[in-house]
Amino acid sequence: MSTLDKRGVVFNIQHYSLHDGPGIRTVVFLKGCPLRCAWCSNPESQRPYPELYFDKDKCIYDRGCGFCEKLCSQGAMINGCVDFTKCTNCLSCAGICPSRALAVYGREMSVSEIIEEAEREQVFYRHGGGGITLSGGEPLMQAEFAIELLKAAKERHIHTAIETCGYADTAVLLEAARYLDFILYDVKILDERKHERATGVSNRLILKNLEALFSAFPKTPKLIRTPVIPGVNDTEEDIRAIADFLKPFDNYRYELLPYHRFGEKKYKMLGRAVPMIENRLDEKKFQQLRRPVEQ
Ligand code: SF4
Ligand code: SF4
């Protein structure tokens, strides 16, 4: 099998993006994430496999449909609703739903299929140094696939970037970095216990990996980002601690991202509880936080 045939699970490909690295970019969202941030607005990115979702607004059960009920051997479809506690995610019902109320997040794609899509957009990349960005979820959760994708892009002289939470095997991250022209790296909270509470994992590996990246790839430009989450890390102390941690390094920019509450409906469509998080990030407070630290 050629490395171009290697397959991974992708949940979206976004074209002409202007926010995920330099220039105009094709962003490939890989499924799977080791973190469980309470504020995640893409819950469909978290599990590493294709998964069923149900959009009740599209269901036409009340107009006499009910195909899914007849098909589901688990009894998970009742009266135009999914009982996710019974659903085994076999995905058969997604293929027969006439209104696409039942559908699947994520599909397998090969390296060559993605590269073909990217090559079609190469004409746009030329303006402003655009290219391909791997995002997620955490793209390095599908490490072999992600690295082959980056390699194939580099062989075709396509500019490469990654959006990573940094929670990956250090050797994997450094291997990926060999094929990266630009790195977008999230540092969410410096306090380890707070980080663990908010994301489900310690930040030790994330910080160690960032140091390793700065040391092994000092010339690769990096954008370090902190999403500012109300009630989680929206204090001067939290942000200052991250900015101070970054001070000894060179060749990076630091940026705060405002939190916007999206994704509630997607949690419901996946049969999951919507995490509790304060809704509003005060704009004035956000500006006060960013002014002294951004560069
Ligand atoms: S097949 Fe689709 S539209 Fe029909 S009842 Fe089931 S979910 Fe609703
Ligand atoms: S995915 Fe399979 S188990 Fe789940 S509701 Fe559909 S048919 Fe039933």
Side-chain angles (χ1 to χ4, degrees):
M1 190 174 88
S2 141
T3 49
L4 288 175
D5 296 328
K6 194 149 202 57
R7 299 178 79 76
V9 183
V10 172
F11 74 93
N12 192 17
I13 296 186
Q14 194 180 320
H15 301 277
Y16 316 118
S17 170
L18 298 172
H19 306 288
D20 305 276
I24 299 171
R25 310 198 68 85
T26 305
V27 188
V28 184
F29 293 88
L30 303 192
K31 215 160 146 26
C33 185
L35 274 58
R36 287 294 176 270
C37 304
W39 59 88
C40 180
S41 58
N42 291 320
E44 77 279 26
S45 72
Q46 293 176 339
R47 293 175 178 155
Y49 47 82
E51 58 187 320
L52 183 78
Y53 72 85
F54 173 60
D55 185 349
K56 191 154 181 53
D57 297 339
K58 290 185 180 166
C59 176
I60 50 171
Y61 182 84
D62 58 358
R63 284 188 254 159
C65 180
F67 288 143
C68 53
E69 214 170 89
K70 292 187 193 94
L71 177 106
C72 179
S73 58
Q74 305 300 316
M77 295 302 311
I78 313 153
N79 301 333
C81 277
V82 186
D83 180 345
F84 279 97
T85 61
K86 291 185 180 163
C87 173
T88 56
N89 199 45
C90 75
L91 308 181
S92 342
C93 57
I96 57 107
C97 177
S99 66
R100 298 204 37 82
L102 288 164
V104 180
Y105 282 128
R107 65 184 167 123
E108 276 202 6
M109 290 185 81
S110 66
V111 170
S112 60
E113 283 171 317
I114 295 170
I115 290 295
E116 269 168 38
E117 283 207 31
E119 279 184 316
R120 279 200 291 274
E121 290 174 12
Q122 249 176 331
V123 61
F124 301 107
Y125 301 159
R126 285 193 201 111
H127 307 283
I132 190 170
T133 299
L134 301 195
S135 185
E138 167 49 56
L140 294 177
M141 242 187 119
Q142 300 186 54
E144 279 181 42
F145 178 65
I147 290 169
E148 289 308 332
L149 204 43
L150 292 172
K151 259 191 219 172
K154 287 288 355 133
E155 277 162 16
R156 286 154 185 82
H157 308 288
I158 297 174
H159 184 278
T160 56
I162 195 167
E163 291 181 316
T164 179
C165 70
Y167 195 86
D169 185 89
T170 309
V172 163
L173 179 69
L174 295 180
E175 174 66 9
R178 291 176 57 202
Y179 310 102
L180 281 165
D181 298 308
F182 192 84
I183 297 170
L184 298 103
Y185 199 106
D186 278 10
V187 178
K188 297 173 173 85
I189 306 162
L190 215 69
D191 181 281
E192 187 182 359
R193 268 199 228 144
K194 251 177 135 172
H195 192 280
E196 209 164 330
R197 268 200 307 275
T199 69
V201 302
S202 153
N203 60 2
R204 279 194 201 186
L205 180 62
I206 294 168
L207 300 178
K208 178 186 133 193
N209 278 346
L210 185 56
E211 285 172 331
L213 264 183
F214 272 114
S215 151
F217 295 92
K219 290 196 177 133
T220 308
K222 299 167 194 71
L223 175 60
I224 317 297
R225 302 181 305 183
T226 300
V228 180
I229 317 296
V232 175
N233 65 352
D234 61 342
T235 68
E236 234 179 275
E237 193 192 353
D238 283 307
I239 301 303
R240 172 59 56 200
I242 299 171
D244 287 347
F245 173 80
L246 295 172
K247 257 189 197 149
F249 305 117
D250 294 315
N251 199 16
Y252 73 92
R253 272 201 315 116
Y254 181 47
E255 185 179 86
L256 303 189
L257 301 172
Y259 166 75
H260 295 294
R261 177 132 216 178
F262 297 125
E264 272 181 52
K265 186 176 175 187
K266 288 194 264 184
Y267 280 95
K268 290 178 188 156
M269 292 198 302
L270 288 161
R272 293 196 221 156
V274 181
M276 297 296 287
I277 196 106
E278 278 179 42
N279 265 325
R280 293 206 142 268
L281 174 65
D282 185 84
E283 177 58 26
K284 200 167 145 209
K285 186 174 181 183
F286 178 69
Q287 294 305 337
Q288 278 168 355
L289 287 173
R290 78 194 297 200
R291 226 168 283 131
V293 293
E294 279 194 356
Q295 45 167 292

mmCIF file of all heavy atoms in Angstrom, residues 54 59-61 65-68 77 97-99 101-102, ligand 1:
data_model
loop_
_atom_site.group_PDB
_atom_site.id
_atom_site.type_symbol
_atom_site.label_atom_id
_atom_site.label_comp_id
_atom_site.label_asym_id
_atom_site.label_seq_id
_atom_site.Cartn_x
_atom_site.Cartn_y
_atom_site.Cartn_z
ATOM 1 N N PHE A 54 -28.388 12.949 15.083
ATOM 2 C CA PHE A 54 -29.814 13.019 14.769
ATOM 3 C C PHE A 54 -30.292 14.459 14.905
ATOM 4 O O PHE A 54 -30.208 15.048 15.988
ATOM 5 C CB PHE A 54 -30.593 12.111 15.740
ATOM 6 C CG PHE A 54 -32.084 12.239 15.610
ATOM 7 C CD1 PHE A 54 -32.722 11.961 14.405
ATOM 8 C CD2 PHE A 54 -32.864 12.629 16.690
ATOM 9 C CE1 PHE A 54 -34.104 12.084 14.280
ATOM 10 C CE2 PHE A 54 -34.240 12.743 16.583
ATOM 11 C CZ PHE A 54 -34.869 12.478 15.373
ATOM 12 N N CYS A 59 -36.533 15.609 10.988
ATOM 13 C CA CYS A 59 -37.214 14.311 11.002
ATOM 14 C C CYS A 59 -38.685 14.453 10.572
ATOM 15 O O CYS A 59 -39.374 15.384 10.986
ATOM 16 C CB CYS A 59 -37.125 13.715 12.402
ATOM 17 S SG CYS A 59 -38.024 12.169 12.548
ATOM 18 N N ILE A 60 -39.132 13.524 9.726
ATOM 19 C CA ILE A 60 -40.514 13.585 9.227
ATOM 20 C C ILE A 60 -41.324 12.379 9.736
ATOM 21 O O ILE A 60 -42.218 11.891 9.066
ATOM 22 C CB ILE A 60 -40.530 13.671 7.677
ATOM 23 C CG1 ILE A 60 -39.634 12.586 7.057
ATOM 24 C CG2 ILE A 60 -40.094 15.058 7.209
ATOM 25 C CD1 ILE A 60 -39.758 12.464 5.544
ATOM 26 N N TYR A 61 -40.998 11.954 10.928
ATOM 27 C CA TYR A 61 -41.727 10.818 11.540
ATOM 28 C C TYR A 61 -43.218 11.132 11.641
ATOM 29 O O TYR A 61 -44.062 10.289 11.351
ATOM 30 C CB TYR A 61 -41.150 10.547 12.931
ATOM 31 C CG TYR A 61 -41.791 9.379 13.639
ATOM 32 C CD1 TYR A 61 -41.359 8.077 13.391
ATOM 33 C CD2 TYR A 61 -42.835 9.568 14.555
ATOM 34 C CE1 TYR A 61 -41.945 6.996 14.038
ATOM 35 C CE2 TYR A 61 -43.420 8.503 15.198
ATOM 36 C CZ TYR A 61 -42.975 7.211 14.940
ATOM 37 O OH TYR A 61 -43.551 6.146 15.575
ATOM 38 N N CYS A 65 -43.139 8.643 8.362
ATOM 39 C CA CYS A 65 -41.895 7.990 7.912
ATOM 40 C C CYS A 65 -41.615 6.720 8.731
ATOM 41 O O CYS A 65 -42.139 5.663 8.431
ATOM 42 C CB CYS A 65 -40.733 8.975 7.967
ATOM 43 S SG CYS A 65 -39.184 8.226 7.435
ATOM 44 N N GLY A 66 -40.798 6.808 9.728
ATOM 45 C CA GLY A 66 -40.529 5.651 10.594
ATOM 46 C C GLY A 66 -39.673 4.548 9.988
ATOM 47 O O GLY A 66 -39.603 3.445 10.539
ATOM 48 N N PHE A 67 -38.977 4.800 8.877
ATOM 49 C CA PHE A 67 -38.093 3.780 8.268
ATOM 50 C C PHE A 67 -37.048 3.276 9.274
ATOM 51 O O PHE A 67 -36.744 2.104 9.346
ATOM 52 C CB PHE A 67 -37.348 4.356 7.061
ATOM 53 C CG PHE A 67 -38.215 4.573 5.850
ATOM 54 C CD1 PHE A 67 -38.022 5.677 5.029
ATOM 55 C CD2 PHE A 67 -39.222 3.670 5.508
ATOM 56 C CE1 PHE A 67 -38.802 5.884 3.907
ATOM 57 C CE2 PHE A 67 -40.011 3.868 4.392
ATOM 58 C CZ PHE A 67 -39.811 4.983 3.593
ATOM 59 N N CYS A 68 -36.496 4.223 10.018
ATOM 60 C CA CYS A 68 -35.404 3.872 10.937
ATOM 61 C C CYS A 68 -35.881 2.905 12.017
ATOM 62 O O CYS A 68 -35.151 2.001 12.423
ATOM 63 C CB CYS A 68 -34.822 5.132 11.563
ATOM 64 S SG CYS A 68 -36.071 6.162 12.339
ATOM 65 N N MET A 77 -34.445 3.445 17.899
ATOM 66 C CA MET A 77 -35.256 4.492 17.265
ATOM 67 C C MET A 77 -36.704 4.314 17.715
ATOM 68 O O MET A 77 -37.341 3.313 17.393
ATOM 69 C CB MET A 77 -35.204 4.371 15.737
ATOM 70 C CG MET A 77 -33.850 4.614 15.117
ATOM 71 S SD MET A 77 -33.118 6.230 15.462
ATOM 72 C CE MET A 77 -34.447 7.356 15.094
ATOM 73 N N CYS A 97 -32.325 7.195 5.889
ATOM 74 C CA CYS A 97 -33.171 8.320 6.330
ATOM 75 C C CYS A 97 -33.419 9.279 5.163
ATOM 76 O O CYS A 97 -32.484 9.877 4.637
ATOM 77 C CB CYS A 97 -32.482 9.056 7.479
ATOM 78 S SG CYS A 97 -33.405 10.498 8.019
ATOM 79 N N PRO A 98 -34.670 9.430 4.721
ATOM 80 C CA PRO A 98 -34.922 10.226 3.520
ATOM 81 C C PRO A 98 -34.675 11.724 3.718
ATOM 82 O O PRO A 98 -34.413 12.438 2.748
ATOM 83 C CB PRO A 98 -36.402 9.961 3.218
ATOM 84 C CG PRO A 98 -36.996 9.524 4.510
ATOM 85 C CD PRO A 98 -35.911 8.856 5.282
ATOM 86 N N SER A 99 -34.767 12.189 4.961
ATOM 87 C CA SER A 99 -34.630 13.643 5.171
ATOM 88 C C SER A 99 -33.249 14.025 5.697
ATOM 89 O O SER A 99 -33.001 15.179 6.013
ATOM 90 C CB SER A 99 -35.682 14.111 6.176
ATOM 91 O OG SER A 99 -35.398 13.536 7.438
ATOM 92 N N ALA A 101 -32.174 13.444 8.544
ATOM 93 C CA ALA A 101 -32.227 13.749 9.982
ATOM 94 C C ALA A 101 -31.197 12.883 10.702
ATOM 95 O O ALA A 101 -30.585 13.301 11.686
ATOM 96 C CB ALA A 101 -33.623 13.466 10.533
ATOM 97 N N LEU A 102 -31.029 11.671 10.201
ATOM 98 C CA LEU A 102 -29.975 10.787 10.706
ATOM 99 C C LEU A 102 -28.805 10.875 9.736
ATOM 100 O O LEU A 102 -28.983 10.650 8.527
ATOM 101 C CB LEU A 102 -30.479 9.346 10.773
ATOM 102 C CG LEU A 102 -31.502 9.052 11.879
ATOM 103 C CD1 LEU A 102 -32.214 7.741 11.597
ATOM 104 C CD2 LEU A 102 -30.841 9.021 13.242
HETATM 105 S S1 SF4 B 1 -35.875 7.652 8.862
HETATM 106 FE FE1 SF4 B 1 -35.222 9.745 9.293
HETATM 107 S S2 SF4 B 1 -36.982 11.046 8.817
HETATM 108 FE FE2 SF4 B 1 -37.715 8.929 8.988
HETATM 109 S S3 SF4 B 1 -38.397 8.757 11.112
HETATM 110 FE FE3 SF4 B 1 -36.306 8.020 11.032
HETATM 111 S S4 SF4 B 1 -35.086 9.843 11.527
HETATM 112 FE FE4 SF4 B 1 -37.113 10.565 11.007
#
